Amino acid sequence: RERTFICVKPDSVQRGLIGDIIKRFEQKGFKLVAMKMMQASEELLKAHYEEHAAKPFFPPLVKYMGSGPLVPMVWEGQGVVKMGRMILGETNPLDDQPGTIRGDYSIRMAKNVAHGSDAVESAKREISLWFTDSELN
Ligand code: ATP
């Protein structure tokens, strides 16, 4: 069964957006498989964003993601990876239609509310990075 990794970013936790993000995935019909609130280590964040290691925004991105608690979660359902990206919206919130999470809640690329896996393979990698087997149903 297809699964994706969604992670509510620190300022969205602080702004009280966790519930709305969960609601949008639930109302679409996806199943919440795992979820927790945690402070991520620098090591975990660097591994998570390893594809961006050479980018200029990598150090501030890792710093920002470590600036407060995050809410990583795993969602399951047919087509959840692609639809998860559609529910989130474009990377740059200024490109989004209202109705997407990023379109509704952000105007800044660096603070674009939540992360979502971009492919089935990256979802598998990210889920195993953030969750132990015993945390996954
Ligand atoms: P995410 O991986 O968080 O879901 P994404 O897959 O839409 O986002 P990526 O291109 O993988 O986007 O970038 C990862 C994250 O890095 C983005 O969510 C954003 O927070 C940050 N980022 C990407 N590009 C920039 C940039 N040019 N300036 C600042 N931050 C950026």
Side-chain angles (χ1 to χ4, degrees), residues 52-61:
H52 296 304
K55 309 261 175 71
F57 61 82
F58 182 73
L61 176 63

PDB file of all heavy atoms in Angstrom, residues 52-61:
ATOM      1  N   HIS A  52      19.878  18.295  -1.188  1.00  0.00           N
ATOM      2  CA  HIS A  52      20.081  19.743  -1.290  1.00  0.00           C
ATOM      3  C   HIS A  52      21.384  20.203  -0.631  1.00  0.00           C
ATOM      4  O   HIS A  52      21.603  21.404  -0.477  1.00  0.00           O
ATOM      5  CB  HIS A  52      18.919  20.488  -0.617  1.00  0.00           C
ATOM      6  CG  HIS A  52      17.602  20.251  -1.283  1.00  0.00           C
ATOM      7  ND1 HIS A  52      17.385  20.499  -2.618  1.00  0.00           N
ATOM      8  CD2 HIS A  52      16.421  19.787  -0.795  1.00  0.00           C
ATOM      9  CE1 HIS A  52      16.136  20.197  -2.924  1.00  0.00           C
ATOM     10  NE2 HIS A  52      15.523  19.757  -1.845  1.00  0.00           N
ATOM     11  N   ALA A  53      22.239  19.251  -0.257  1.00  0.00           N
ATOM     12  CA  ALA A  53      23.435  19.578   0.544  1.00  0.00           C
ATOM     13  C   ALA A  53      24.312  20.668  -0.065  1.00  0.00           C
ATOM     14  O   ALA A  53      24.929  21.438   0.672  1.00  0.00           O
ATOM     15  CB  ALA A  53      24.259  18.319   0.799  1.00  0.00           C
ATOM     16  N   ALA A  54      24.353  20.742  -1.383  1.00  0.00           N
ATOM     17  CA  ALA A  54      25.239  21.720  -2.033  1.00  0.00           C
ATOM     18  C   ALA A  54      24.550  23.061  -2.299  1.00  0.00           C
ATOM     19  O   ALA A  54      25.192  24.005  -2.764  1.00  0.00           O
ATOM     20  CB  ALA A  54      25.757  21.141  -3.346  1.00  0.00           C
ATOM     21  N   LYS A  55      23.252  23.139  -2.005  1.00  0.00           N
ATOM     22  CA  LYS A  55      22.497  24.366  -2.331  1.00  0.00           C
ATOM     23  C   LYS A  55      22.755  25.475  -1.312  1.00  0.00           C
ATOM     24  O   LYS A  55      22.990  25.198  -0.136  1.00  0.00           O
ATOM     25  CB  LYS A  55      20.992  24.074  -2.353  1.00  0.00           C
ATOM     26  CG  LYS A  55      20.578  22.891  -3.209  1.00  0.00           C
ATOM     27  CD  LYS A  55      20.075  23.321  -4.570  1.00  0.00           C
ATOM     28  CE  LYS A  55      19.780  22.120  -5.468  1.00  0.00           C
ATOM     29  NZ  LYS A  55      18.605  21.371  -5.041  1.00  0.00           N
ATOM     30  N   PRO A  56      22.695  26.726  -1.738  1.00  0.00           N
ATOM     31  CA  PRO A  56      22.918  27.828  -0.802  1.00  0.00           C
ATOM     32  C   PRO A  56      21.890  27.888   0.331  1.00  0.00           C
ATOM     33  O   PRO A  56      22.206  28.342   1.432  1.00  0.00           O
ATOM     34  CB  PRO A  56      22.836  29.083  -1.685  1.00  0.00           C
ATOM     35  CG  PRO A  56      22.261  28.645  -2.987  1.00  0.00           C
ATOM     36  CD  PRO A  56      22.506  27.182  -3.130  1.00  0.00           C
ATOM     37  N   PHE A  57      20.684  27.386   0.086  1.00  0.00           N
ATOM     38  CA  PHE A  57      19.661  27.453   1.135  1.00  0.00           C
ATOM     39  C   PHE A  57      19.737  26.285   2.121  1.00  0.00           C
ATOM     40  O   PHE A  57      18.954  26.235   3.067  1.00  0.00           O
ATOM     41  CB  PHE A  57      18.247  27.552   0.541  1.00  0.00           C
ATOM     42  CG  PHE A  57      17.834  26.382  -0.325  1.00  0.00           C
ATOM     43  CD1 PHE A  57      17.355  25.201   0.226  1.00  0.00           C
ATOM     44  CD2 PHE A  57      17.893  26.475  -1.713  1.00  0.00           C
ATOM     45  CE1 PHE A  57      16.974  24.128  -0.563  1.00  0.00           C
ATOM     46  CE2 PHE A  57      17.506  25.407  -2.522  1.00  0.00           C
ATOM     47  CZ  PHE A  57      17.050  24.229  -1.940  1.00  0.00           C
ATOM     48  N   PHE A  58      20.711  25.360   1.900  1.00  0.00           N
ATOM     49  CA  PHE A  58      20.791  24.179   2.779  1.00  0.00           C
ATOM     50  C   PHE A  58      21.068  24.525   4.253  1.00  0.00           C
ATOM     51  O   PHE A  58      20.295  24.095   5.127  1.00  0.00           O
ATOM     52  CB  PHE A  58      21.842  23.207   2.232  1.00  0.00           C
ATOM     53  CG  PHE A  58      21.986  21.935   3.005  1.00  0.00           C
ATOM     54  CD1 PHE A  58      21.013  20.934   2.951  1.00  0.00           C
ATOM     55  CD2 PHE A  58      23.104  21.708   3.800  1.00  0.00           C
ATOM     56  CE1 PHE A  58      21.152  19.751   3.655  1.00  0.00           C
ATOM     57  CE2 PHE A  58      23.257  20.526   4.519  1.00  0.00           C
ATOM     58  CZ  PHE A  58      22.282  19.548   4.445  1.00  0.00           C
ATOM     59  N   PRO A  59      22.114  25.336   4.551  1.00  0.00           N
ATOM     60  CA  PRO A  59      22.345  25.650   5.984  1.00  0.00           C
ATOM     61  C   PRO A  59      21.159  26.355   6.657  1.00  0.00           C
ATOM     62  O   PRO A  59      20.734  25.921   7.741  1.00  0.00           O
ATOM     63  CB  PRO A  59      23.615  26.514   5.962  1.00  0.00           C
ATOM     64  CG  PRO A  59      24.305  26.144   4.678  1.00  0.00           C
ATOM     65  CD  PRO A  59      23.197  25.885   3.691  1.00  0.00           C
ATOM     66  N   PRO A  60      20.589  27.412   6.046  1.00  0.00           N
ATOM     67  CA  PRO A  60      19.416  28.012   6.707  1.00  0.00           C
ATOM     68  C   PRO A  60      18.214  27.067   6.790  1.00  0.00           C
ATOM     69  O   PRO A  60      17.446  27.127   7.761  1.00  0.00           O
ATOM     70  CB  PRO A  60      19.082  29.238   5.842  1.00  0.00           C
ATOM     71  CG  PRO A  60      19.882  29.120   4.597  1.00  0.00           C
ATOM     72  CD  PRO A  60      21.044  28.239   4.890  1.00  0.00           C
ATOM     73  N   LEU A  61      18.074  26.185   5.805  1.00  0.00           N
ATOM     74  CA  LEU A  61      16.957  25.228   5.837  1.00  0.00           C
ATOM     75  C   LEU A  61      17.093  24.274   7.024  1.00  0.00           C
ATOM     76  O   LEU A  61      16.133  24.051   7.772  1.00  0.00           O
ATOM     77  CB  LEU A  61      16.917  24.453   4.511  1.00  0.00           C
ATOM     78  CG  LEU A  61      15.883  23.335   4.379  1.00  0.00           C
ATOM     79  CD1 LEU A  61      14.457  23.872   4.473  1.00  0.00           C
ATOM     80  CD2 LEU A  61      16.062  22.602   3.037  1.00  0.00           C
TER      81      LEU A  61
END
